[in-house]
Amino acid sequence: EKEKEKEKKEYRGKMSGIWARYNAMLEAQPLLTKALTSLTGFTAGDILAQSFIEGSDKPYDAMRTLRLGSFGFFIHGTTGHYFYGFLDSKLPGTKPITVATKVAIDQTIWNPIFGCMFFGYLNLVEGKSFADYQKKIQTDLKTAVMGSWAVWVPAHTINFAFIPSSQRLLYINTIQIGYNVFLSFLGNKGVDEPEEKKE
């Protein structure tokens, strides 16, 4: 019994040490830390998508994970840092009307912009044409935006009401890991499956 208690204390000590180091990094280098947090979230999301959601007959695609992870690092972490910083500076506080306004801005303005960046980045790194990008937007942007509402409206209500500004991207990325399974699947789904097989 004493050993179990000792192990619990050691574990709690390690976790609080990691948390303290993360917060110190966040304070010293907020942009880099958030970019690395998003890299982790998107990488984990794609690994989960490939391992558990998609057909087991498909071989694991490491380049796909690299593409998703790099999107997290270069785009999600950096734009999230500036967007949520801007939103918090313009709409400070946690009054219900403020939280509702932030959620509405996030989901009706930022969400479609994010979707365009997500599909655009994947289109670019996969060497596809602008016509492919337009097709992808027409086919999947609405699904991505509307599909996100079920997750992100309640998630951001909690986010803007209770989470400190500096911790927003960490909170988002914890939920994003699960949501990225959906995004990863959608981002890598062919626009026209039969034609893609012919290429």
Side-chain angles (χ1 to χ4, degrees):
E1 195 66 38
K2 281 181 182 179
E3 274 186 31
K4 279 184 184 177
E5 197 59 43
K6 191 182 173 185
E7 280 173 15
K8 277 182 189 176
K9 277 183 183 176
E10 281 176 6
Y11 176 76
R12 280 196 295 264
K14 279 178 189 172
M15 292 311 288
S16 62
I18 291 166
W19 181 244
R21 278 198 295 276
Y22 179 82
N23 280 307
M25 271 181 71
L26 202 53
E27 206 169 309
Q29 292 183 304
L31 188 60
L32 176 63
T33 306
K34 288 172 187 178
L36 289 168
T37 305
S38 291
L39 164 70
T40 306
F42 274 83
T43 301
D46 185 61
I47 291 168
L48 287 171
Q50 290 199 56
S51 305
F52 302 108
I53 306 299
E54 293 164 28
S56 55
D57 54 322
K58 281 186 183 178
Y60 175 73
D61 185 349
M63 286 308 294
R64 176 179 139 171
T65 303
L66 186 64
R67 288 192 292 270
L68 268 291
S70 67
F71 172 81
F73 183 81
F74 292 116
I75 311 292
H76 184 262
T78 52
T79 58
H81 169 76
Y82 290 113
F83 172 72
Y84 292 111
F86 172 78
L87 205 58
D88 287 334
S89 71
K90 298 297 174 191
L91 294 164
T94 55
K95 286 179 182 173
I97 188 69
T98 307
V99 171
T101 306
K102 282 181 173 180
V103 171
I105 290 168
D106 182 83
Q107 289 303 298
T108 60
I109 298 169
W110 181 246
N111 187 344
I113 292 169
F114 174 82
C116 290
M117 289 192 297
F118 177 72
F119 292 128
Y121 182 85
L122 291 185
N123 193 78
L124 183 71
V125 295
E126 287 168 10
K128 292 181 179 175
S129 68
F130 185 69
D132 289 327
Y133 174 61
Q134 286 177 306
K135 261 190 213 172
K136 189 71 177 169
I137 292 294
Q138 286 164 4
T139 310
D140 290 330
L141 183 63
K142 188 179 174 184
T143 306
V145 169
M146 292 178 76
S148 84
W149 290 345
V151 175
W152 291 110
V153 170
H156 278 309
T157 302
I158 293 165
N159 181 19
F160 295 128
F162 304 109
I163 309 296
S165 184
S166 63
Q167 305 289 351
R168 288 210 199 290
L169 238 73
L170 176 63
Y171 167 80
I172 288 166
N173 272 291
T174 5
I175 294 161
Q176 191 90 34
I177 289 172
Y179 182 67
N180 281 349
V181 173
F182 166 70
L183 261 191
S184 171
F185 172 76
L186 201 62
N188 290 283
K189 177 174 77 68
V191 172
D192 190 348
E193 294 292 348
E195 276 188 21
E196 253 195 18
K197 284 174 189 170
K198 286 179 197 171
E199 283 175 6

